[in-house]
Amino acid sequence: MTDKFHLGWFTNFAPPVWEGQFSGQNGATWANGKFYQDMARSLERARFDYIMLEDSSMVSDAYEGSSRADLKHHLYAPKHDPLPLMPLLAAATKNLGIVATASTSFYPPYQLARTMTTLDHLTGGRAGWNIVTSSEDRAAQNYGRATLEEHDSRYDRADEFVEVVDKLWNSWEPGALLMDRETGQYVDHTKVHPIHHDGQFYTVRGPLNAMPGPQRKPVICQAGGSPRGRQFAAEHADTIIAQSRGVERMKAYRDDIRARATAAGRNPDDIKVLFIVSPLVAATDEEAQEIWAARTVSAEANVERALAHLSALTEVDFSKFDLDEPVPGDVTTNGHRTTLAEFLKLGDDGRTLREVAAGWNINAVDLVGSVDTVADQMGEVMAHVGGDGFLISGPMTRPYIGEVTEGLVPALQARGLTRTDYLTAGANGAPTFRDNLLAF
Amino acid sequence: MFHLGWFLSFSTQAWHAPHSDRGGLFPNTDVYVDFARALERAGFDYLMIEDGSFIPDAYGSSMEHSLRTGFASPKHDPMALVPLLAASTEKIGLIATMTTSFYPPFLAARLMTTLDHLSGGRVGFNLVTAHNDRTAQNYGMDKHWDHSERYAIATDWAQAVTALLTSWDEDAVVDDTVNGVYADHTKIHQTDYAGDYFSSRGPLNVPPGPQRIPVICQAGGSPVGRAFASRFADTIVAPSGSIEWMKQYRTDIRAGLVDAGRDPDAVKVLFLTDFIIGDTHEDALELQRRRHAAMVADIEGRLAYMSFASGIDFSTFDLDAPVPPVSTNAAKTTTAQMFAGREHQTLREIASTIIPSLEIVGSPATAADQMEAVMAEVGGDGFLVNSPITPRAIADIAGDLAPELRRRGLIRSEYTADTLRGNLTAY
Amino acid sequence: MFHMGWFMGTGFGVYNWNQRWSGNVSSDVGNPQLFVDMATSLERAGFSYMMLEDSSVLPNVHRGTFESSVKNGGTIRFDPVPLIPFLTQATKNIGIVATISTSFYHPFMAARLFSTLDHVTNGRVGMNLVTSSNKSAMQNYGLKDLIPHDERYDRANEWVDVVKALWNSWDEDAVLMDEVNGVFADHTKVHTVDFEGKYYRSRGPLNTIPGPQRHPVICQAGGSDAGREFGARNADTIIAAVKGVEEMKSYRDDVSARMIAMGRDPKDVKVLFLISPVLADSKAAAEEKNAAMLKASAENIDAQVAGFSYFTSTDWSKYDYDEPFPDLSKNEGHQSTMNDFARSGATIREAVTNHRTQESVPLIGTPESIATEMGEYMDYAGGDGFLIAKPVTRQNITEIADGLAPALRKQGLIRPSYEHSTFRDNLLAY
């Protein structure tokens, strides 16, 4: 029985912090990918399981009915396609898993299956796919629809999408690749099969024209808070991004996922649930608290960023509400339901919209202190919840990344809480992303 | 299975010949990076960079021939190239020549250890005593030490270097973050080496690398050379000749190792071999015929080579008269081999004769047959490709021949170890 | 505009092992990646060069054992020369300077090695010349004892003359590569050197062809009189460890005066001053950080004093730390550094607690405030730049490369981009 838990980092292929005092030339150069390559190296040094690149395909004008705020704070744009970044991150690393987001609402399944297989080869068995169904009408409008499909219907589509890509990934049997010089035969056609899928949403003949990669099927990542989302995740995911707030709800979420997985005939240990946190570490607890307090003050003065983000996520225009009144109660979304619900709940204590927005984060628990304090805390939380790890998210600056990889992680490793080395061998030869995920 | 290596110089690579890489002309280092990667893909044990620190001027008593043709000059320092190759590869061994006559032992031990770390345990060092007076004169001497004294110096040198390389016990690095101790000072020792030629207080100020003592390579056919090799070498660059000669050579080497108290299987003898590969066996024979004809026609080039090896200016000799007895303080064995049994031949006849050495000539398939037969007869341990680095040579040998050898299970299909010594001794 | 460099205090060594914010340094020991990341970061910041200090000894003077040397790995130094190609392969413009000792490298070997490196690095290599100041290092090389200070510089001057003569042994137009006539190089343009000096002899010529810089950059540090003469005579860049802006100015003026006396143009040597800026988001936070560092240093006085034992080849653990600093003006080791301490009148403990040897002027604040101060100091001193002398950790590197450098750039104080392809040209551009 191990005490070890997993680490991931949650980010996207978008501008890092560009205007801070320690942001270098990030604003001008991020799009060449090097900032993220350096970050991937740092994560690998710290033996993270994976980097997760979220994604979306729209410029938001939900806030104030204009894209001003979105583009000012670079919330949803610019955001570049994470798939082409994956080979660059792979070239800079050897073991780190690389997960990128692609939407089942917009990708043709055959294309996604083929791209992911190609990437599994290019990354040496380290590719992962974060499944989203998308959550914005503006995105749907970029793909020719007036509105996004309704929430549950999206998940029905996603179910079938995953069924199709699974069939495609299995359309080549093991051993199909022969390379037989005697007969001059590269591939054995009797081991490559059409899938003849004919479903509610998709008709796909197959077979895939790409050979299976080292993992045969990329690691599947998914975030899903709604019941429908949880069911989907429990059935399909290898790793789940969880947003539950507080140790009790974290534990409840994980237990629920595991129960659903068991009911679906899966081994619950095969799913690693990672909880989003944004640790703030400093030389001492006092210093960390001071920085935290200063950030809160600053956030209250700059609450537009948080509100614009929330507006984009939920497509509700939060600029319409009075900042210094209590949080409105009767707001709904076809987009990120859980996120909205969690936000609205924060207003239960009567605080104003400004206060709540300033303090809004999607962290499972607050982690503020010296590296020793935070490492201890993380260990305690994991012991209570049962597993499986944390997904770090935070200000995208090199110093912050360094505080985690060069400061916090060594403290975790000293306590035996995170790995000190990746596997040297996997289930079928060289260790893959999935092998390392399942190592403990 | 047998081993493969490639013997090269960090110099112009057939700059003027057909098949030379105009895009990668010397001193472009990209060519060497591509080359190292190609050999690694083909499963070679190592590449070995020979070296020298002088511009030949024996022939014609002038540097003219050497500089005009690019023969044995310019030659760049292989220690500057090895890190670049290490950064660009993961498994292949990298052996660079180091002279025991002019590298201070402390500098050598420290450099070796650093390179061992930087390459992940894949470096080796080919120890030479340096060639001739001109080299010695670059280092401020009037004349080089005589041949046997050079080897006495080399022996003392190797002992000093070994003492330094072992000045940190294997378990000196403790990395104890709880008690704040990186290394245990009680396991680090002054060497206080005091030999006939060298002294060194030690210890090294660096922890040992993955191999602790990097692979030592050695060539040198003279009796003192062989004695040195028996004590220190892990791999030997052997001249080739007839099959019988090669078999005897290896037998002698192995006997010498046993006498020195070492396991003969731990030392791999690789024979310098010329390869001529064609699409068909007949094509290859034709290529061989043309190559030999060109060599024979280039009398000046042949004489320049002989002058280089011996230090004797053969341009002053009558081409059409027999050659008076010669001896040298330079490359003793090579020089002796040139004239052995040829007292009645003219210089022209001698220069026109290709010195018998192993040539593998054929298609990839027939070449593989020959290599298999040679190894079966000689007993081991492998071949050292002796060729300039041209795109053609790389394609023929690493691209066509090696895969054929692999298909037959004659060379490794993958590297099983992480270090050069590990892969050398894997079989 | 002025130049920025980084003085890597223990070269290709082990930095801040087992300290907060340093990551798992153990897996970095002997591994080039930290330094590769440093090179790419400093190139992002437009630095002119990184300088790898070096020494060839594992000290056991302090308390007579190796303990203080290897307890935190701080005196381990790998040979910096093989690291150079790793750094230049990952970058395009930044210069890389490695230290070699004129006492241990024969000039022919150094000339050949650096000529080759000039090619391998596409014209971006430099050598920092030291004469070696440590008895044990000499004994590692089988040499009996330290050569007296001034004689070391006589030898070093001659050593440089040999090396430069060898670098000049091929005329600029010796290499023809004339395929029509089959001539690689013209032998009439390749010359023996026939150097016969008091300390060195070498026939030459080099058997390497000249590289892009022809003469790799020569760097030097050494504030004694003989050292300054040596630098003024031979160097392209000089590292200065002085105290205060007045001394910065007088050092630069002194170098210029010496150069003029030798017939050199003062603009041909760039003098860079050591600094160790303490950076934070606010001035107050930076002051706190600085105070914490000094406190930690005072609590670990033995480690600092071990450094003195090494510099002077004497065991300082025998001294009372609360007595005045001893006068070591005759010390054959690091003369000027020890003189600074003795002059200050402080006790050993005070000197250690309040000084950092690696800074000419204290700089504590935000990137912007420090950049402003640096600009003012440089204006006053008259040139030519600064060397960061902080431990090589990723956090220190990013603070400088992504914090201080952009602030300097914003004020037009450092280059916005590299204009030339070789190190020498970028160094001498202004």
Side-chain angles (χ1 to χ4, degrees):
Chain A
M1 190 59 204
T2 178
D3 282 335
K4 286 217 261 295
F5 54 79
H6 297 266
L7 289 176
W9 196 299
F10 178 63
T11 183
N12 46 28
F13 189 15
V17 174
W18 65 278
E19 71 276 47
Q21 291 192 89
F22 293 93
S23 304
Q25 296 173 298
N26 293 349
T29 59
W30 67 272
N32 65 20
K34 289 183 184 169
F35 177 94
Y36 290 95
Q37 282 184 305
D38 287 345
M39 179 186 185
R41 283 198 198 99
S42 292
L43 298 186
E44 182 158 282
R45 259 195 326 278
R47 309 293 190 240
F48 272 56
D49 281 75
Y50 62 85
I51 181 172
M52 207 289 271
L53 302 158
E54 70 85 18
D55 197 34
S56 54
S57 301
M58 52 119 200
V59 180
S60 180
D61 61 349
Y63 188 81
E64 301 173 335
S66 142
S67 62
R68 181 198 64 83
D70 188 38
L71 289 167
K72 174 181 167 166
H73 299 290
H74 62 86
L75 298 171
Y76 279 78
K79 195 180 286 183
H80 286 198
D81 186 344
L83 264 47
L85 182 61
M86 288 171 72
L88 264 72
L89 303 187
T93 54
K94 288 196 169 70
N95 298 107
L96 185 71
I98 306 167
V99 181
T101 301
S103 171
T104 53
S105 292
F106 306 135
Y107 256 89
Y110 190 91
Q111 182 166 327
L112 190 282
R114 185 163 179 256
T115 298
M116 274 293 147
T117 295
T118 306
L119 284 165
D120 202 36
H121 284 279
L122 290 175
T123 60
R126 299 189 277 130
W129 171 36
N130 178 46
I131 307 179
V132 298
T133 62
S134 288
S135 48
E136 310 91 17
D137 284 343
R138 285 285 182 249
Q141 286 155 13
N142 287 330
Y143 287 91
R145 300 179 59 117
T147 61
L148 201 57
E149 262 179 298
E150 180 272 326
H151 183 277
D152 280 10
S153 173
R154 289 205 309 271
Y155 274 98
D156 289 340
R157 174 188 285 276
D159 273 333
E160 189 179 326
F161 188 109
V162 170
E163 190 192 332
V164 172
V165 296
D166 258 345
K167 287 186 195 174
L168 286 168
W169 283 327
N170 287 318
S171 60
W172 288 52
E173 290 178 46
L177 179 65
L178 286 180
M179 288 197 290
D180 184 340
R181 279 174 173 265
E182 303 292 313
T183 60
Q185 196 180 4
Y186 189 65
V187 174
D188 179 356
H189 77 292
T190 66
K191 298 202 162 147
V192 177
H193 316 284
I195 65 170
H196 296 302
H197 178 89
D198 192 1
Q200 181 190 351
F201 298 96
Y202 300 109
T203 306
V204 179
R205 187 183 181 279
L208 203 59
N209 69 335
M211 347 184 274
Q215 297 185 113
R216 261 187 92 72
K217 175 179 159 164
V219 161
I220 302 297
C221 176
Q222 214 266 338
S226 64
R228 191 74 174 75
R230 293 184 190 205
Q231 186 60 30
F232 182 86
E235 284 175 19
H236 303 299
D238 297 298
T239 182
I240 293 176
I241 295 167
Q243 257 185 248
S244 318
R245 188 137 184 98
V247 290
E248 293 312 328
R249 295 178 63 202
M250 286 166 75
K251 182 167 168 47
Y253 179 89
R254 185 169 176 273
D255 289 344
D256 180 47
I257 291 287
R258 291 174 67 84
R260 290 174 188 261
T262 305
R266 290 184 71 193
N267 176 353
D269 290 338
D270 287 349
I271 305 178
K272 304 303 172 189
V273 179
L274 268 57
F275 297 93
I276 297 177
V277 291
S278 191
L280 195 168
V281 289
T284 62
D285 288 343
E286 293 69 43
E287 203 184 306
Q289 295 293 346
E290 274 172 36
I291 297 171
W292 175 259
R295 280 213 192 135
T296 308
V297 167
S298 164
E300 280 174 10
N302 297 299
V303 78
E304 176 185 85
R305 189 196 173 94
L307 290 174
H309 196 150
L310 196 57
S311 298
L313 266 178
T314 59
E315 294 193 305
V316 169
D317 184 356
F318 276 86
S319 73
K320 290 202 165 70
F321 303 111
D322 189 331
L323 278 178
D324 297 299
E325 288 293 306
V327 174
D330 54 347
V331 184
T332 59
T333 179
N334 191 28
H336 285 266
R337 289 188 174 170
T338 312
T339 307
L340 178 60
E342 297 283 325
F343 177 80
L344 294 176
K345 242 205 192 68
L346 292 174
D348 282 354
D349 57 5
R351 285 186 291 157
T352 64
L353 180 58
R354 181 193 300 278
E355 288 165 332
V356 170
W360 172 55
N361 60 58
I362 50 176
N363 296 337
V365 288
D366 288 333
L367 298 167
V368 180
S370 68
V371 298
D372 290 319
T373 299
V374 170
D376 284 337
Q377 237 182 309
M378 289 169 83
E380 284 157 18
V381 167
M382 270 297 111
H384 185 90
V385 172
D388 301 290
F390 296 96
L391 200 65
I392 313 285
S393 153
M396 289 296 283
T397 66
R398 290 174 189 268
Y400 179 69
I401 294 167
E403 281 162 21
V404 174
T405 59
E406 315 298 314
L408 176 57
V409 171
L412 291 169
Q413 289 171 326
R415 288 160 173 75
L417 292 172
T418 60
R419 64 160 64 83
T420 52
D421 268 301
Y422 294 103
L423 294 174
T424 50
N428 299 306
T432 63
F433 176 10
R434 187 176 277 107
D435 287 330
N436 276 305
L437 257 186
L438 296 176
F440 49 86
Chain B
M1 288 201 288
F2 51 79
H3 298 267
L4 289 179
W6 196 303
F7 177 84
L8 66 139
S9 311
F10 185 10
S11 64
T12 67
Q13 303 288 339
W15 72 280
H16 187 37
H19 310 303
S20 64
D21 180 357
R22 281 225 116 264
L25 278 178
F26 189 78
N28 188 334
T29 49
D30 290 347
V31 166
Y32 297 91
V33 171
D34 291 346
F35 165 70
R37 291 202 180 121
L39 293 196
E40 180 164 277
R41 274 197 303 279
F44 274 57
D45 283 69
Y46 60 79
L47 54 93
M48 204 287 270
I49 309 171
E50 70 87 22
D51 195 36
S53 289
F54 69 102
I55 296 182
D57 67 346
Y59 181 74
S61 298
S62 156
M63 298 186 289
E64 187 271 343
H65 176 268
S66 168
L67 289 169
R68 169 168 48 88
T69 62
F71 166 66
S73 84
K75 217 173 260 190
H76 283 199
D77 189 336
M79 293 306 168
L81 182 62
V82 167
L84 195 66
L85 303 184
S88 314
T89 54
E90 288 180 16
K91 295 287 191 183
I92 192 167
L94 306 164
I95 301 183
T97 295
M98 180 184 268
T99 168
T100 57
S101 297
F102 302 119
Y103 259 89
F106 191 87
L107 198 149
R110 193 163 172 250
L111 176 60
M112 287 181 175
T113 300
T114 303
L115 280 167
D116 201 30
H117 280 276
L118 285 171
S119 66
R122 296 186 287 127
V123 288
F125 297 89
N126 177 47
L127 299 180
V128 300
T129 62
H131 189 87
N132 58 9
D133 289 343
R134 288 288 183 243
T135 309
Q137 286 159 4
N138 281 332
Y139 282 91
M141 294 164 62
D142 286 322
K143 292 175 68 56
H144 204 10
W145 295 288
D146 79 50
H147 189 268
S148 51
E149 185 166 21
R150 295 206 300 266
Y151 273 97
I153 293 170
T155 303
D156 197 28
W157 187 98
Q159 284 168 181
V161 166
T162 304
L164 288 166
L165 291 174
T166 52
S167 55
W168 289 50
D169 291 349
E170 297 217 31
D171 53 350
V173 175
V174 294
D175 193 29
D176 178 355
T177 52
V178 173
N179 295 309
V181 179
Y182 176 75
D184 179 352
H185 72 288
T186 65
K187 302 198 172 189
I188 296 169
H189 318 283
Q190 260 172 246
T191 46
D192 290 320
Y193 184 83
D196 292 335
Y197 298 96
F198 298 105
S199 65
S200 183
R201 183 180 179 276
L204 275 188
N205 60 341
V206 292
Q211 297 184 111
R212 191 164 166 74
I213 298 179
V215 160
I216 297 299
C217 176
Q218 207 267 347
S222 65
V224 282
R226 292 193 195 198
F228 183 85
S230 325
R231 280 189 66 182
F232 298 108
D234 298 296
T235 183
I236 292 177
V237 170
S240 56
S242 67
I243 302 287
E244 296 73 42
W245 186 91
M246 286 162 65
K247 186 170 177 173
Q248 189 59 50
Y249 180 93
R250 186 167 175 271
T251 303
D252 290 347
I253 292 286
R254 290 174 68 87
L257 288 165
V258 170
D259 286 345
R262 295 179 67 201
D263 172 10
D265 288 336
V267 177
K268 305 301 175 189
V269 178
L270 269 59
F271 293 95
L272 278 166
T273 308
D274 291 317
F275 287 84
I276 301 172
I277 308 295
D279 284 344
T280 66
H281 191 75
E282 291 63 41
D283 285 349
L285 288 173
E286 173 59 20
L287 285 171
Q288 180 191 35
R289 193 198 61 71
R290 292 210 297 264
R291 183 188 286 194
H292 284 189
M295 281 169 74
V296 164
D298 181 20
I299 290 282
E300 186 188 58
R302 300 294 304 147
L303 293 174
Y305 173 75
M306 291 160 65
S307 293
F308 164 81
S310 63
I312 297 161
D313 183 0
F314 284 102
S315 75
T316 61
F317 289 40
D318 183 345
L319 266 179
D320 295 299
V323 182
V326 294
S327 70
T328 180
N329 194 32
K332 271 189 159 353
T333 314
T334 311
T335 306
Q337 264 190 325
M338 282 190 274
F339 299 107
R342 299 201 174 110
E343 295 76 12
H344 58 286
Q345 291 187 334
T346 66
L347 180 57
R348 188 189 300 277
E349 285 166 335
I350 291 173
S352 309
T353 313
I354 314 296
I355 293 176
S357 67
L358 186 61
E359 275 185 325
I360 301 289
V361 182
S363 64
T366 62
D369 289 336
Q370 292 165 48
M371 292 169 83
E372 190 172 15
V374 168
M375 280 292 108
E377 190 52 43
V378 173
D381 301 293
F383 302 88
L384 205 58
V385 176
N386 187 10
S387 165
I389 302 169
T390 62
R392 171 87 182 249
I394 298 172
D396 283 346
I397 297 166
D400 286 342
L401 176 58
E404 177 65 22
L405 294 169
R406 233 174 202 168
R407 278 190 285 277
R408 298 185 188 199
L410 292 172
I411 62 172
R412 63 164 56 83
S413 53
E414 56 176 3
Y415 295 94
T416 50
D418 292 325
T419 66
L420 172 53
R421 185 175 278 105
N423 282 310
L424 264 179
T425 52
Y427 53 86
Chain C
M1 284 199 300
F2 53 76
H3 293 271
M4 290 297 294
W6 196 302
F7 174 80
M8 301 156 72
T10 54
F12 180 11
V14 177
Y15 293 89
N16 282 23
W17 177 80
N18 204 30
Q19 294 193 28
R20 201 189 293 129
W21 315 127
S22 297
N24 270 317
V25 167
S26 326
S27 57
D28 281 339
V29 176
N31 185 322
Q33 194 62 44
L34 168 64
F35 303 96
V36 169
D37 292 345
M38 180 184 191
T40 56
S41 300
L42 296 189
E43 181 157 277
R44 225 175 24 245
F47 272 47
S48 298
Y49 62 88
M50 292 163 54
M51 206 289 273
L52 291 141
E53 183 266 18
D54 194 37
S55 93
S56 292
V57 64
L58 195 73
N60 65 342
V61 178
H62 198 67
R63 302 192 201 290
T65 74
F66 295 117
E67 187 181 3
S68 61
S69 291
V70 295
K71 189 154 190 268
N72 68 354
T75 63
I76 287 169
R77 289 170 173 83
F78 293 92
D79 184 337
V81 173
L83 185 61
I84 300 171
F86 278 84
L87 308 186
T88 52
Q89 202 203 21
T91 51
K92 284 201 177 61
N93 297 104
I94 192 169
I96 310 290
V97 180
T99 297
I100 61 170
S101 169
T102 59
S103 304
F104 304 145
Y105 267 88
H106 189 279
F108 186 88
M109 182 175 285
R112 182 166 185 251
L113 177 59
F114 276 78
S115 170
T116 307
L117 281 166
D118 201 27
H119 288 281
V120 171
T121 64
N122 282 318
R124 300 198 280 130
V125 73
M127 51 166 71
N128 177 50
L129 299 178
V130 298
T131 61
S132 288
S133 52
N134 184 282
K135 188 167 68 169
S136 300
M138 299 297 272
Q139 289 169 348
N140 281 335
Y141 281 85
L143 303 163
K144 290 241 176 34
D145 210 331
L146 266 190
I147 298 166
H149 182 271
D150 285 10
E151 187 190 323
R152 294 208 300 272
Y153 278 103
D154 285 340
R155 289 173 168 262
N157 275 313
E158 190 174 291
W159 189 97
V160 172
D161 289 345
V162 183
V163 167
K164 287 189 173 178
L166 288 165
W167 284 339
N168 289 333
S169 58
W170 288 57
D171 293 349
E172 296 220 24
D173 51 351
V175 177
L176 298 176
M177 287 211 262
D178 174 357
E179 288 182 85
V180 173
N181 297 306
V183 182
F184 181 83
D186 179 350
H187 77 288
T188 65
K189 302 198 173 191
V190 178
H191 317 284
T192 59
V193 156
D194 296 314
F195 193 100
E196 300 273 340
K198 185 166 169 202
Y199 306 104
Y200 298 106
R201 306 171 69 210
S202 183
R203 184 182 180 274
L206 273 185
N207 63 339
T208 57
I209 68 182
Q213 297 183 110
R214 196 164 164 76
H215 284 210
V217 165
I218 292 182
C219 175
Q220 191 264 349
S224 66
D225 190 58
R228 292 186 190 208
E229 275 297 290
F230 179 83
R233 181 182 189 273
N234 303 307
D236 300 299
T237 182
I238 289 174
I239 295 172
V242 296
K243 283 282 163 237
V245 69
E246 290 301 339
E247 279 192 23
M248 282 169 65
K249 182 172 172 47
S250 69
Y251 194 104
R252 173 69 255 193
D253 289 344
D254 181 53
V255 169
S256 298
R258 290 175 192 260
M259 288 177 77
I260 289 168
M262 289 170 187
R264 287 187 74 194
D265 181 349
K267 286 218 262 313
D268 286 344
V269 161
K270 304 303 170 188
V271 179
L272 272 61
F273 300 94
L274 296 177
I275 53 171
S276 297
V278 180
L279 291 147
D281 281 313
S282 68
K283 198 135 207 320
E287 297 282 1
E288 271 179 46
K289 211 167 156 184
N290 187 52
M293 274 164 47
L294 289 175
K295 179 159 177 278
S297 175
E299 278 160 10
N300 195 11
I301 188 167
D302 202 55
Q304 320 296 322
V305 178
F308 295 157
S309 295
Y310 160 62
F311 281 143
T312 62
S313 294
T314 351
D315 185 357
W316 283 59
S317 69
K318 304 193 312 276
Y319 292 120
D320 183 337
Y321 294 165
D322 294 303
E323 288 295 306
F325 219 86
D327 172 17
L328 295 159
S329 47
K330 304 265 185 332
N331 181 256
E332 291 297 343
H334 279 255
Q335 280 196 355
S336 54
T337 314
M338 292 296 111
N339 289 346
D340 285 340
F341 283 117
R343 276 203 322 260
S344 71
T347 63
I348 295 173
R349 187 183 303 279
E350 286 165 347
V352 167
T353 313
N354 297 321
H355 275 87
R356 273 191 291 270
T357 50
Q358 320 280 42
E359 72 180 359
S360 312
V361 286
L363 292 163
I364 303 166
T366 64
E368 194 187 321
S369 71
I370 289 181
T372 306
E373 279 181 278
M374 286 167 72
E376 287 161 2
Y377 287 132
M378 195 62 0
D379 237 358
Y380 187 82
D384 301 286
F386 297 94
L387 287 148
I388 305 294
K390 293 163 74 96
V392 177
T393 65
R394 289 196 167 80
Q395 292 305 81
N396 284 346
I397 293 166
T398 182
E399 259 180 25
I400 299 291
D402 300 302
L404 178 58
L408 289 167
R409 251 183 189 146
K410 209 155 133 202
Q411 297 185 31
L413 294 170
I414 62 173
R415 62 165 56 87
S417 61
Y418 297 93
E419 275 149 31
H420 303 279
S421 54
T422 69
F423 175 20
R424 175 176 286 283
D425 288 343
N426 278 315
L427 185 65
L428 299 178
Y430 52 84

